[in-house]
Amino acid sequence: MKKWSILLFLAMAAIGMQAQKPWDKGGFETQQYRNLFVEMGYNPMAVERKMQEVFNDVFTGPNKVYFEVGDTLGYISDIKNHDVRTEGMSYGLMIAVQMDKKDIFDRLWRWSKKYMQHKDGPREGYFAWSLKTDGTRNAQGAASDGELYFITALIFASNRWGDDTGINYKAEAQHILNCTMPKEYEPEQRGGFGGFGGFGGQQQSGPQKMFLIDPETKLITFTPDGFGQRYTDPSYHIPAFYEVWARWADDGRSDYWMECARKSREFLHKAIDEKTGLNPDMCQYDGSEMQMPRFPGRPPGQGQAQAQGQQGQPQTPPRNGSSNFRYDSWRVPMNIALDYEWSCADKEWQRQYGERIQNFFYTQGVDSFVDQYRVDGSLPEGNEILQAGGFRKLRHSIGLVATTAAASMMCSHEKSKEFVKALWEAKHVPFEDGYFDAYYDGLLRLFAFMHLSGHYRVIFPKCYIQTGDVKMTIDPSEGGKILSYKYKGQEAISQMPMREAYGSTFWTSPQKEWNWPPVQEYDKGPYTMEQNGNTLVLTSDVSKKLGFRIRKSFTTDQKSEAITVTYTIINESGVEKQVAPWEITRVLNEGLIFFDAPAEQITPAGVIPFKTAFKAAWYTTDEANDNRKINADGKGWLAYLNKGLLMVKKFEDLNTNQPAPDEAEIQVYVNRGKTYIELESQGAYTKLAPGESLSWTVKWWLIPYNGEAAPSKQLLKTVRKLVK
């Protein structure tokens, strides 16, 4: 792969000076996501490092909120309130599945299922919203946003990891969905949040119905029982989540969930102020202001947390503080940005909204706006200011800095860059008076970085092909890429999150026909899928630029325990074309790479320090500041040994005149720094008349090898025995 570093740098600089242009299509359609940081000129590697730092702050750093219990459990705690909440647990699940952290996901889910989820009774399937860290429940009732995230994260986990690794994720999601359908119950004779008795002790008599989604309005409830199901919270509205349910829940309610998505978008138009873009903390289903007393002590990040007052009797403030923009409300800009990124179903209004709310906060000062307002933009007073962590004070909170920055995904005005820059430069540290929220501020900050760096995505179902202990994972939704290649769960290929740094892909050669970036239709676009027995066939769209269609066929060779991948290039351009097949597999920059050729024949000489031993070329990975690439004429195989796993690929052995111009049978590209390496192989350069095709096969092996990762006759003998 040729890297035009100077041109790329200049292009990124030019992008950084241009006005941002929101996309017209969402991830459900394109499977593409913007990295707004990179568009603004930030270095891609710096963005990845920053993303990892923010993730570590939440999950592993000195102020982490994630804690593991024994070998199988884990929880996320609202440190300042000394509890575990469905909000944080379900957020943690979503973050873990987005970042491909299966162990964290499974630990959080097992803790949630063991301690939070009701196993029977009228609340069966729902989750108690607040528990002590030892699993003792502080309340029995549910908070509807928890279920919203639990269901969506479980469906994504099913799509990403399958349902055969110890947890049937889809079945768990379907169970929750079935339990949230309207059902009758007898209210318990107690009040307060978490009981069926209603709000603040208001007792309703006779059988009542419990539901997550209000049957009449099709809008999500504040709580699925008691008084809380009479109104809603704008920050619980994420219409794109319902589209996920409609596509992949397989619960027979697809049309219903799509209608819920539509109603939720309509509701947001009504709930958000037309001038300021601000929204109330909670409101009626028609978007109008709540008419109810407020209870003291509700902490940020879970509007339902103490709305019914676990610290005393209801108080009536000078104004109805529940109708102000405050902690829960912060999530709305980021939620609407998510709906825009994934669906784009309401794009015109969402673009206007994004700029409207940023315009308001811009008037307040990008570096000085506070975290609570009345929806008309005026400041709250006295008891209207919602306390947090023992403080009743307006602050410039990083959680709101984060969500206003995420709104930039919808914006084209220049101001949006200032919000993104403010988030990038913001430090998540205690305020001068000692107040610090590692939990809510930390989670929202992490979500915003995921949005702005392209890491918050619709996770489409993956395909698997397996032989013995070897499992290959393919993603039809993203270029038919080989995402994972494992032996007994141990990964062999790169999992770096950068767009061009992971998995295995396929291009057409020579590169000069398309230059850079890779052709969208067969590197990143969706492929159709067919299953024929033990053969998986993926087919791309026709490339608008080149006129080729790509077909990939994956099957197993039970005798040799190999996976065979056959690539077919079909000329649908209407004119004769010449082309060669090209497979690119990324591995980590560690271990040993070798193939059957003397190092002296590698060009350019000395760029990558291959050495000749036993008549083969060997490269023990190193580190350099420059991107490096070599061409070689091998004997139809290429091998990689790292951490006791030997990966071998066999392909057609070409004569020196068969590769495409300036290309080669074997290529190795080493990315600068200690990042990743591409193992590349190409087939013969072939003329194709209109309608003609060529097929090229690569046979993949992955086996354990106990010897040293160093050149040896034994290692060479092992490979040659496989490929003979």
Side-chain angles (χ1 to χ4, degrees):
M1 181 174 67
K2 297 178 181 176
K3 305 290 184 180
W4 305 100
S5 302
I6 296 176
L7 292 176
L8 179 61
F9 173 80
L10 293 174
M12 293 312 305
I15 289 172
M17 293 185 290
Q18 296 171 1
Q20 307 305 315
K21 187 179 188 308
W23 288 3
D24 291 322
K25 296 180 180 179
F28 283 120
E29 182 176 354
T30 67
Q31 289 92 54
Q32 298 297 300
Y33 302 88
R34 298 172 69 192
N35 187 326
L36 199 55
F37 288 122
V38 172
E39 288 183 32
M40 287 178 55
Y42 291 94
N43 180 279
M45 294 301 293
V47 173
E48 291 303 319
R49 287 194 297 270
K50 186 84 165 182
M51 179 71 241
Q52 190 60 49
E53 289 171 7
V54 176
F55 177 86
N56 290 342
D57 284 348
V58 172
F59 284 90
T60 63
N63 294 313
K64 68 179 182 179
V65 296
Y66 168 74
F67 303 92
E68 294 186 351
V69 181
D71 295 332
T72 61
L73 303 178
Y75 63 84
I76 286 177
S77 175
D78 182 348
I79 303 293
K80 67 184 180 305
N81 287 299
H82 315 293
D83 67 350
V84 180
R85 305 180 173 205
T86 53
E87 170 194 71
M89 294 295 282
S90 61
Y91 282 12
L93 289 172
M94 180 60 75
I95 292 165
V97 72
Q98 290 289 333
M99 302 299 287
D100 201 14
K101 305 290 186 181
K102 188 175 186 301
D103 179 65
I104 292 176
F105 186 101
D106 289 353
R107 284 176 176 272
L108 292 173
W109 172 248
R110 292 188 195 105
W111 202 98
S112 301
K113 185 175 177 65
K114 180 176 181 178
Y115 295 116
M116 290 180 147
Q117 192 174 35
H118 291 279
K119 306 302 186 294
D120 51 31
R123 296 192 185 99
E124 181 184 358
Y126 285 97
F127 296 78
W129 77 269
S130 172
L131 287 77
K132 294 181 174 63
T133 58
D134 65 2
T136 304
R137 291 177 182 169
N138 294 321
Q140 296 294 336
S144 299
D145 62 332
E147 277 68 15
L148 185 78
Y149 272 87
F150 277 125
I151 293 163
T152 312
L154 284 165
I155 292 172
F156 279 166
S158 174
N159 287 356
R160 165 151 270 168
W161 301 310
D163 298 311
D164 58 352
T165 60
I167 299 174
N168 189 331
Y169 304 110
K170 181 171 285 189
E172 297 286 4
Q174 290 171 334
H175 174 62
I176 303 170
L177 283 169
N178 290 334
C179 290
T180 61
M181 292 296 103
K183 55 188 174 184
E184 284 195 352
Y185 67 93
E186 287 288 341
E188 299 173 12
Q189 298 300 313
R190 52 187 157 110
F193 188 85
F196 293 126
F199 187 90
Q202 297 180 35
Q203 180 61 50
Q204 302 177 59
S205 60
Q208 305 294 323
K209 280 194 174 181
M210 186 193 317
F211 39 79
L212 184 76
I213 306 295
D214 176 64
E216 182 177 346
T217 64
K218 295 184 174 63
L219 300 178
I220 191 168
T221 60
F222 185 66
T223 66
D225 59 67
F227 192 86
Q229 63 188 11
R230 296 185 183 181
Y231 60 99
T232 188
D233 181 326
S235 75
Y236 291 8
H237 288 260
I238 311 179
F241 279 14
Y242 299 129
E243 290 199 36
V244 172
W245 302 2
R247 287 169 178 260
W248 298 301
D250 296 331
D251 67 342
R253 305 182 183 100
S254 292
D255 291 344
Y256 176 74
W257 299 130
M258 290 302 292
E259 178 68 3
C260 289
R262 187 180 68 82
K263 292 288 189 180
S264 188
R265 293 181 183 112
E266 290 177 356
F267 161 81
L268 288 168
H269 289 216
K270 301 172 185 175
I272 290 170
D273 188 86
E274 293 182 357
K275 293 182 179 179
T276 64
L278 301 178
N279 59 273
D281 197 51
M282 57 187 79
C283 64
Q284 307 291 346
Y285 288 124
D286 62 3
S288 61
E289 182 175 323
M290 292 292 297
Q291 300 297 325
M292 53 187 285
R294 190 186 73 78
F295 296 80
R298 189 182 71 178
Q302 191 104 6
Q304 63 276 16
Q306 294 180 10
Q308 277 82 0
Q310 295 185 13
Q311 298 184 18
Q313 297 300 312
Q315 299 176 358
T316 303
R319 287 173 56 90
N320 185 357
S322 63
S323 294
N324 289 347
F325 179 94
R326 51 192 190 183
Y327 298 109
D328 274 20
S329 309
W330 299 356
R331 300 181 287 215
V332 172
M334 189 157 60
N335 291 347
I336 294 176
L338 182 145
D339 191 47
Y340 181 87
E341 292 173 74
W342 289 9
S343 179
C344 250
D346 195 17
K347 60 187 178 184
E348 298 302 328
W349 180 85
Q350 289 169 339
R351 288 172 180 170
Q352 295 169 8
Y353 162 78
E355 297 196 0
R356 187 192 321 161
I357 194 166
Q358 283 195 343
N359 283 336
F360 170 76
F361 283 111
Y362 197 84
T363 66
Q364 306 298 301
V366 173
D367 297 317
S368 57
F369 59 72
V370 295
D371 52 18
Q372 298 183 51
Y373 290 91
R374 297 169 183 161
V375 293
D376 65 4
S378 59
L379 292 175
E381 300 175 355
N383 286 342
E384 282 183 85
I385 300 173
L386 191 59
Q387 69 85 26
F391 295 85
R392 190 181 301 279
K393 186 176 181 179
L394 300 178
R395 302 179 183 278
H396 184 64
S397 296
I398 197 170
L400 184 54
V401 171
T403 61
T404 55
S408 296
M409 301 300 292
M410 301 176 282
C411 300
S412 58
H413 61 190
E414 287 294 314
K415 297 172 187 173
S416 66
K417 297 178 182 179
E418 297 187 45
F419 287 91
V420 174
K421 182 174 182 286
L423 174 62
W424 181 271
E425 296 178 350
K427 305 295 183 184
H428 190 196
V429 294
F431 286 88
E432 291 183 359
D433 58 8
Y435 176 78
F436 180 67
D437 183 9
Y439 167 76
Y440 191 55
D441 278 339
L443 287 168
L444 293 187
R445 177 177 178 238
L446 176 51
F447 271 133
F449 270 91
M450 289 164 59
H451 276 286
L452 294 165
S453 63
H455 284 81
Y456 204 165
R457 305 178 176 184
V458 180
I459 299 176
F460 284 71
K462 307 298 186 293
C463 305
Y464 306 90
I465 190 162
Q466 188 161 358
T467 176
D469 294 318
V470 178
K471 184 177 183 180
M472 181 180 282
T473 304
I474 305 107
D475 187 355
S477 70
E478 189 183 341
K481 279 189 178 71
I482 298 170
L483 296 184
S484 173
Y485 189 43
K486 294 181 179 180
Y487 177 84
K488 290 187 175 180
Q490 182 180 342
E491 185 61 68
I493 61 179
S494 172
Q495 300 297 299
M496 290 187 67
M498 288 178 60
R499 169 63 74 182
E500 312 296 347
Y502 65 89
S504 183
T505 189
F506 179 83
W507 301 333
T508 55
S509 179
Q511 184 171 339
K512 66 181 181 181
E513 297 290 336
W514 47 268
N515 199 10
W516 193 259
V519 176
Q520 165 73 23
E521 288 84 358
Y522 42 78
D523 182 69
K524 298 180 179 67
Y527 280 55
T528 60
M529 182 182 70
E530 298 177 50
Q531 187 86 36
N532 300 319
N534 69 334
T535 300
L536 180 68
V537 180
L538 305 180
T539 306
S540 77
D541 290 336
V542 177
S543 164
K544 295 181 178 65
K545 184 173 185 178
L546 300 180
F548 295 121
R549 186 191 301 277
I550 306 301
R551 183 168 293 127
K552 303 180 182 182
S553 174
F554 300 84
T555 191
T556 57
D557 184 335
Q558 299 298 333
K559 184 177 180 181
S560 65
E561 292 195 344
I563 294 176
T564 298
V565 186
T566 299
Y567 301 97
T568 302
I569 303 174
I570 307 163
N571 180 9
E572 300 197 14
S573 68
V575 298
E576 183 179 80
K577 285 181 170 286
Q578 196 163 2
V579 67
W582 186 2
E583 184 184 69
I584 302 93
T585 302
R586 286 100 181 206
V587 298
L588 294 179
N589 187 336
E590 52 190 38
L592 180 69
I593 295 166
F594 58 105
F595 50 87
D596 218 338
E600 292 76 15
Q601 295 181 6
I602 294 174
T603 59
V607 172
I608 300 175
F610 275 92
K611 296 180 180 179
T612 299
F614 316 109
K615 298 182 180 180
W618 308 78
Y619 167 51
T620 301
T621 57
D622 67 340
E623 183 176 355
N625 293 327
D626 298 320
N627 301 323
R628 297 167 289 163
K629 183 169 183 176
I630 59 93
N631 290 341
D633 177 29
K635 292 186 180 178
W637 62 264
L638 180 58
Y640 170 67
L641 175 61
N642 185 36
K643 296 180 180 177
L645 281 186
L646 176 62
M647 180 172 71
V648 181
K649 300 202 291 180
K650 178 184 177 182
F651 37 84
E652 180 186 4
D653 182 15
L654 302 183
N655 297 326
T656 55
N657 63 346
Q658 286 184 286
D662 301 320
E663 305 288 356
E665 175 188 322
I666 291 174
Q667 299 175 313
V668 176
Y669 165 80
V670 182
N671 196 61
R672 64 179 177 269
K674 199 71 173 172
T675 51
Y676 69 95
I677 294 174
E678 292 182 345
L679 307 180
E680 309 177 15
S681 51
Q682 295 196 23
Y685 194 43
T686 305
K687 288 184 179 180
L688 296 179
E692 284 189 336
S693 64
L694 69 84
S695 292
W696 178 69
T697 296
V698 181
K699 207 166 188 177
W700 293 54
W701 285 271
L702 189 61
I703 62 173
Y705 183 79
N706 296 324
E708 184 182 358
S712 71
K713 288 184 179 180
Q714 180 59 42
L715 180 53
L716 201 58
K717 181 179 178 180
T718 300
V719 173
R720 286 173 173 165
K721 184 178 179 180
L722 285 175
V723 302
K724 67 179 180 180

